[in-house]
Amino acid sequence: MLEVTDLATAYDGITALRGVTLRVPTGSMVAIVGPNGAGKSTLLNTISGVLRPHAGTVRFDGADVTRLPAHKVARLGLLQVPEGRQILGPLSVEENLLLGRLARGARAADGTADDLDAVFSLFPILAERRRQEGGSLSGGQQQMLAIGRALMGRPRLLMLDEPSLGLSPIMARQVFDALATLKARGQTILLVEQNARRALASTDFAYVLEQGRIVQEGPSAALASDPRIISHYLPETDLSTS
Amino acid sequence: MTLVFQQILNGFVVGGTYALFALGFTLIFGVLHVLNLAHGAVFMWGAFVGLFTVTSLGLPLYVAFIAAMLAAGLISVLVDLVAFRPLRARGSPEFAAIISSIGVAQILMSLAQIASQTQVYRFPFGTFPIVFYNVLGLRISLQQIVIVASVVVLVALLLGILFATSFGRQIRAVAISERTAALLGISVSNIHGLTFFISGALAGAAGVIIGIAFNSVHFLMGEPYLLRGFVVIILGGLGSITGALAGGLIFGMVQTLSIAFLSSALSDAILFGMMFLILLVRPSGLFGALHRQVRVVRQ
């Protein structure tokens, strides 16, 4: 579904991606793990059209989307849940969700009410808080809102940038449980995550990104038992996991 | 005492037109975070289009009103395309946008000067029936009633668009974060264009109303309004819809009362003194912190 080939992006004059190649097959859940500053967010933002690459291509469903502006990429169903959630704080929970519907564009104009209901059944707390300002939600609730907002656009590929960042372990687990539910429904997902243990446990395939390069790739289970990965990313006492 | 009330009433009417002018001004600041110093020139062109629709085309006033709003809206979109969009694409500082909007304002004024041959035009006698009513000892003209009614309708329309339509949600989303809006599939440049159109249409309506109320339309008429609009949105808080409304009304009343009871020479000194005081005491304006929900500005 998504094919990224030799993608290179410079950001503020610094080369952040140095020829990244990866693919996300339909129906799979793929992780990108790597340390802070490896270029993970840059990669997602380049795929999304927020940043312009200086080399390489991004193909989505066979179509070249490399130089498409961000809003057109989103309308194709290639939706990103950005790092830090980026909830529109002064807008209500419901308004945030309704804005998410725009990305659906020309795809499937039917069943308007059903989408809201589907999001509310996945995240019941959002139904309770629907009239509240998005900015008044807790971090975990905001992450749910951000995911729900993207789901409103009926993503063909859902990209998530550090969905567990800054969340309590309980909240992080809830978010990952929701992702597992989506995966079980056949949602294609590309997950960027610093918490490698959690990412490898919940995905089919993973890429390791370091200093703008893919240094390793393979089935998530295989990577999770790879000695190099264990020593670098899965320390015995990982304080961020519990 | 009746005189005071009469002046407060007159000030309220004048203030309504200031508010109409300032709403478009504050809307652009709220969404794009730039001051559009061509707003006065757009307003002036609105007045001219309204005038020519009545005088040259012989159409009724309400048609002129709509024509002025549409034309001023389109001119405003043009201002965006020429003065703001190229700079935004290059990531130029906000200061550059202020300068380029001054440039576009000068061009628009020169064109109006040529088109009007530097003359002051008036709406033909009888464009608006001169009727007065006596209510509780106050003299109210039909014109004043229509002005207040149009302001109320347009403000209601603006609030309706901003807070009850998908376009309004998109405008507020862009005001908060352009990047997040784009990731949601919102075309940020289209929303900028729409914002400029709404802003210009409001200015065009204000242009016709003021052209009729003061029975004078000329190529320089936008400049004093730009300056006053500036005071109004600083009073109310930059980017605040409620603030522009309240600021406009306060400005109109203070101006009218100071002209009536002090001197017309002093009124500007009082108004701009008021602006300095607000900047010192409450730099975010009277409604800066309060009415957050009726605010389009990014945080």
Side-chain angles (χ1 to χ4, degrees), chain A residues 11 45 48 50 70-71 74-75 79-80 82 86-91 95-96 98-100 102-103 133 149-150, chain B residues 162-164 166 169-170 172-174 176-177 179-190 292-293 295 297 299:
Chain A
Y11 187 43
N45 282 327
S48 279
V50 173
H71 71 275
R75 282 176 184 243
L79 283 171
Q80 186 194 153
Q86 308 303 332
I87 291 307
L88 300 165
L91 272 60
E95 282 184 310
N96 268 283
L98 290 176
L99 277 169
L102 284 168
E133 275 186 23
R149 187 173 65 182
Chain B
L162 279 181
F163 294 97
S166 172
R169 265 201 302 274
Q170 294 180 50
R172 284 180 293 143
V174 169
I176 296 163
S177 165
R179 205 168 87 149
T180 304
L183 284 176
L184 291 172
I186 298 171
S187 165
V188 172
S189 45
N190 284 359
R292 212 155 69 92
Q293 71 279 17
R295 205 174 157 81
V297 73
Q299 306 135 319

Side-chain angles (χ1 to χ4, degrees), chain A residues 108-125:
Chain A
D110 59 307
T112 352
D114 297 341
D115 287 343
L116 257 186
D117 290 344
V119 169
F120 286 155
S121 75
L122 188 64
F123 302 119
I125 187 75

Side-chain angles (χ1 to χ4, degrees), chain A residues 30-109:
Chain A
V30 173
I32 299 168
V33 295
N36 239 338
K40 302 189 298 290
S41 295
T42 307
L43 175 58
L44 288 200
N45 282 327
T46 310
I47 296 172
S48 279
V50 173
L51 298 173
R52 291 261 170 279
H54 57 76
T57 56
V58 179
R59 295 180 74 80
F60 183 57
D61 245 11
D64 190 350
V65 299
T66 316
R67 266 156 238 289
L68 231 49
H71 71 275
K72 289 193 175 156
V73 172
R75 282 176 184 243
L76 287 175
L78 181 43
L79 283 171
Q80 186 194 153
V81 179
E83 186 178 350
R85 308 176 274 276
Q86 308 303 332
I87 291 307
L88 300 165
L91 272 60
S92 74
V93 167
E94 188 171 351
E95 282 184 310
N96 268 283
L97 291 173
L98 290 176
L99 277 169
R101 194 183 274 162
L102 284 168
R104 199 190 304 162
R107 286 171 297 121

Side-chain angles (χ1 to χ4, degrees), chain A residues 87-189:
Chain A
I87 291 307
L88 300 165
L91 272 60
S92 74
V93 167
E94 188 171 351
E95 282 184 310
N96 268 283
L97 291 173
L98 290 176
L99 277 169
R101 194 183 274 162
L102 284 168
R104 199 190 304 162
R107 286 171 297 121
D110 59 307
T112 352
D114 297 341
D115 287 343
L116 257 186
D117 290 344
V119 169
F120 286 155
S121 75
L122 188 64
F123 302 119
I125 187 75
L126 297 182
E128 273 171 49
R129 304 277 158 93
R130 67 192 289 177
R131 306 258 171 252
Q132 240 171 277
E133 275 186 23
S136 72
L137 301 182
S138 75
Q141 292 165 353
Q142 288 194 14
Q143 186 63 55
M144 292 173 186
L145 177 54
I147 295 172
R149 187 173 65 182
L151 291 176
M152 291 293 287
R154 297 213 182 139
R156 283 148 77 200
L157 171 58
L158 183 65
M159 301 192 291
L160 299 118
D161 194 351
E162 305 273 8
S164 71
L165 192 72
L167 300 192
S168 69
I170 299 167
M171 270 300 177
R173 185 159 303 151
Q174 280 191 35
V175 167
F176 270 81
D177 284 348
L179 294 183
T181 309
L182 291 173
K183 176 176 164 24
R185 287 182 199 162
Q187 175 70 55
T188 312
I189 297 173

